[in-house]
Amino acid sequence: MTLKPLAYAVAVAAALTSACSQQAHDLGGHGPGESPAAQRAPRQLPATIVDFASARELDWLVPEQAEISAVDNGRSRALNIRFPASVHTPVFSVVPDQPWDFSRLDDYNLAFDVINKASVSTHFYVELFDAAGNSQTRELSVPKGYAGKVFFPLAGEKAATDKGMWANPMPWPTDEMKMVWRSWHGELDLGQITKMSFYTIGVLQDRELQVGDIQLRPNPEAGADWTKHLVDRFGQAAKKATPLKVTSEAELKALAEKELKALAQHTGPEDRSRFGGYKDGPQLEATGYFRTEKVDGKWWLVDPEGYLFFSHGPANVRMSNLTTLTGVDFKDPSVRVVHDDEVTPEDSMGIVDVSDEVRESRYIINKTRHDMFEWLPNYDHPLADHYSYRRSTHKGPIPHGETYSFYRANLERRYGQTAPESYVRKWEEVTLQRMNSWGFTSFGNWVDPAFYPNKKVPYFANGWIIGDYQTLSGHTNHWGLMPDFFDPVFAERARATIEVIAENVQASPWCIGVFIDNEKSWGEREGTVAERYGVILDALSKDAAMSPAKKAFTDRLKQKYGTIEALNRAWDSQFKSWNAFAADASLNQPSEAQVADLSQLLEALGEQYFKVVHGTLKEYLPNHLYMGARMANWGMPDEIIKASVKYSDVLSFNIYEEGMQTHQWSFLEEIDLPVVIGEFHIGATTDSDNYHPGIVSAASQEDRARMYKAYMESVLEKDYMVGAHWFQYVDEPVTGRAFDGENANIGFVTVTDIPYPEMVEAAKEINFDLYRKRYGK
């Protein structure tokens, strides 16, 4: 049972001795008449900002479905925080009576002692909030039995957010564990810190941490070259010693030859049909294409020959987004031309050739990034064909520039080149062998179209509808503005995209289905009105003469209410006419009745999207499954789920958590449609080249394999699940992918194309017993 703040205060006050005098010393003290706010402003470092032995501060401690208790750890007072698996996001917060003001300080880090009391590693988050509601989130997985200090730079050059990477290297030599940004970096007013929260997300078993006093400490001097020469000539972390690191081309070739022999000997499970279905299970109706069916109360995909099929394999099996920015750009603008008829997003483009003429305008746009590399080839080097270009980026300090693919270069080193890009053809062959040998049944989303004709591993086709259509802005636009789905141009671009997909697929029975788009910012499932219905509020604020969505919403409300007077009565508004409403219907503080209509309009927006996409897909690929819109758990409002159910053959969600908590996803049982996970992953930084572990973090490669198996077990036990796809096949570049700086250890293989043995063995454990375990026979 969770202790309420007041009950906790009484309990702890009886057990602890006040340490106010020490706290006042750490914070610089306060004299008579000095305000509490001034007391919250440390004047010198180190400074304790949360003292768990201070009776005065007990009311700051606010558990929200986390459980807390005081403990004497022998040296000082500490706090036990229990995060139950029965709750999706159990939170413990420290809310000072006045905001902390750290603005008088610079170049410091936040640190605290942690003991992991759980029987496994604990992946937890720390989030700081300012008075404006902005926040920054860090994450870390502490190993089983860990007892030590954790920290993260909060101010100063070591905390800078402009390196173009999700996570920077260790800023100074230390045995302490550093927390990394959860994902993209956000701004924070360090003069008005109102709350600090500790939490877990989607854990599969209870966790318990013991946390000591929270301090601000000065950052040690570590020199100016901490981001210099981070990457060696193989694209590996030059300053980290990792188990799979290679040191020569000869070693790389020897490892490749060893793996090829093993793959030839171990070709995969024997219970598979031609298309990867369960040969030892029942044979249902064979339609020649993949379909869905509920068998004995459990949803399945059914392969073209009628065998039960469960889709499991890696997503993003391609090289188009494995390049990293070199810090070089070109003044010649011709390299950045974008054409209106393009159907491939910037992050999905392959190698882009840059002419010698354009290269004559070369200059260094970002010296910090350019200095990260120990080696980059000259333009006349044999490995120079792995240079490319990004015309635009989504995040980071470089808006566009030259890129390089160490992964492609390593493939050429591994396999040589006997014909133009023969190493790419060899990579495709080896990848197919790996999929079968490791027991995977399919590729996930974003597989390179070169695999479409393979006839060895089923796949999903994909596309992204891009173009010059009208847009809508939500409260938070994670991957960009939302298209206006009522704009006829959107329908035209959908047709153009799906035409290309159909041409590539050629009605192949090896194509299970089609994913269109990814993680659109529909709005939060819970939160403020703006967070939930931001795209609708934005549409209402527009002029219907310029916004197809606004016109559609105006017509819908006019049909519902008839007269503007009726709408005004329901909304308690004062629009003079429908024309006035059409011109601008901005809502500042929506009433309950207005929120109800916002909900209906969001569903209508979603229905328009799914109607356009589904209708066009069925026109071009009538025998293939429509897999939905790959909703992220931060962008899956009930209204959009409801709209998607009407048009999707299979629902898809990207679930970056420890696993599928049964209670959190029980609503899918009521929907009663097959569901696939479009993305999940777990990573670790301790024994990989990468500085970021990914969105879900493990303590090591061994722990990563354990968590992968636990995740898959949580999926396989659910009757509505028909697949789960790991994101992604290859580790992201150490210095960040060019599009947005992601640099996580989320691959089954390294940048040198060496498989992680722990992950391969874990995959085999899951996959070789997958059908027997799920079917039960």
Side-chain angles (χ1 to χ4, degrees), residues 718-739:
K718 292 175 175 55
D719 292 347
Y720 50 82
M721 296 303 302
V722 297
H725 303 153
W726 173 278
F727 185 92
Q728 60 183 18
Y729 182 45
V730 185
D731 273 344
E732 293 175 321
V734 170
T735 48
R737 66 184 186 186
F739 184 62

Side-chain angles (χ1 to χ4, degrees), residues 190-419:
L190 294 174
Q192 291 283 318
I193 301 300
T194 58
K195 183 168 68 171
M196 181 187 310
S197 295
F198 295 74
Y199 57 92
T200 59
I201 301 176
V203 295
L204 294 178
Q205 61 186 88
D206 294 352
R207 298 295 204 279
E208 186 172 356
L209 296 177
Q210 185 179 113
V211 176
D213 292 347
I214 301 170
Q215 293 184 315
L216 297 182
R217 310 178 305 180
N219 290 334
E221 290 293 332
D225 62 349
W226 69 294
T227 60
K228 193 172 183 178
H229 293 170
L230 294 179
V231 175
D232 67 15
R233 63 195 176 99
F234 294 102
Q236 304 168 121
K239 298 183 179 182
K240 293 179 71 176
T242 54
L244 301 182
K245 182 165 288 188
V246 299
T247 58
S248 69
E249 283 83 351
E251 182 182 5
L252 200 57
K253 290 179 180 179
L255 289 169
E257 291 173 4
K258 180 180 179 181
E259 185 194 7
L260 290 175
K261 290 179 181 178
L263 290 173
Q265 294 174 350
H266 305 285
T267 57
E270 297 181 354
D271 63 353
R272 303 293 169 83
S273 70
R274 177 188 173 210
F275 289 92
Y278 188 28
K279 185 176 63 176
D280 296 342
Q283 190 168 11
L284 309 176
E285 179 187 0
T287 64
Y289 291 92
F290 282 89
R291 61 184 182 86
T292 63
E293 184 173 335
K294 199 171 190 180
V295 179
D296 297 331
K298 188 175 295 186
W299 278 105
W300 289 90
L301 294 168
V302 179
D303 80 11
E305 295 179 331
Y307 293 105
L308 301 178
F309 185 90
F310 187 91
S311 175
H312 182 41
N316 215 35
V317 184
R318 59 180 185 171
M319 291 184 277
S320 59
N321 66 347
L322 292 178
T323 64
T324 191
L325 291 161
T326 66
V328 168
D329 201 3
F330 308 103
K331 295 180 180 179
D332 189 332
S334 65
V335 74
R336 288 181 285 280
V337 173
V338 178
H339 301 284
D340 291 341
D341 59 350
E342 293 181 12
V343 296
T344 303
E346 192 70 19
D347 68 325
S348 295
M349 289 190 171
I351 294 295
V352 176
D353 291 327
V354 177
S355 69
D356 291 339
E357 182 180 3
V358 169
R359 281 177 171 162
E360 290 178 0
S361 65
R362 179 184 187 273
Y363 72 102
I364 295 176
I365 189 174
N366 188 299
K367 189 175 186 302
T368 297
R369 170 156 287 274
H370 194 57
D371 288 346
M372 290 180 181
F373 306 96
E374 286 188 342
W375 172 91
L376 285 168
N378 295 326
Y379 292 143
D380 59 355
H381 191 280
L383 294 178
D385 54 345
H386 306 296
Y387 278 113
S388 186
Y389 192 80
R390 276 280 180 265
R391 298 171 301 178
S392 63
T393 60
H394 183 56
K395 297 280 184 180
I398 302 178
H400 38 69
E402 178 186 81
T403 69
Y404 192 75
S405 174
F406 287 98
Y407 184 69
R408 277 177 56 103
N410 288 330
L411 292 177
E412 185 170 352
R413 288 164 168 149
R414 279 175 72 96
Y415 303 122
Q417 182 167 229
T418 56

Side-chain angles (χ1 to χ4, degrees), residues 93-134:
S93 297
V94 180
V95 185
D97 50 10
Q98 295 290 330
W100 285 303
D101 179 4
F102 305 150
S103 62
R104 303 184 191 184
L105 308 170
D106 56 19
D107 204 27
Y108 58 89
N109 65 89
L110 186 147
F112 49 90
D113 288 313
V114 166
I115 298 175
N116 182 15
K117 304 185 72 175
S119 60
V120 292
S121 64
T122 296
H123 178 209
F124 73 103
Y125 303 85
V126 172
E127 187 168 8
L128 299 177
F129 297 82
D130 67 19
N134 303 310

Side-chain angles (χ1 to χ4, degrees), residues 139-199:
E139 64 167 305
L140 178 67
S141 180
V142 288
K144 169 186 173 182
Y146 178 78
K149 190 83 73 176
V150 303
F151 75 98
F152 56 88
L154 191 54
E157 201 273 337
K158 299 300 187 293
T161 63
D162 61 352
K163 306 301 182 188
M165 299 181 287
W166 257 12
N168 295 327
M170 189 67 79
W172 50 77
T174 179
D175 292 330
E176 299 174 349
M177 297 192 72
K178 185 188 75 165
M179 303 191 79
V180 300
W181 294 86
R182 172 168 165 78
S183 56
W184 295 326
H185 307 170
E187 296 299 323
L188 198 66
D189 180 0
L190 294 174
Q192 291 283 318
I193 301 300
T194 58
K195 183 168 68 171
M196 181 187 310
S197 295
F198 295 74
Y199 57 92

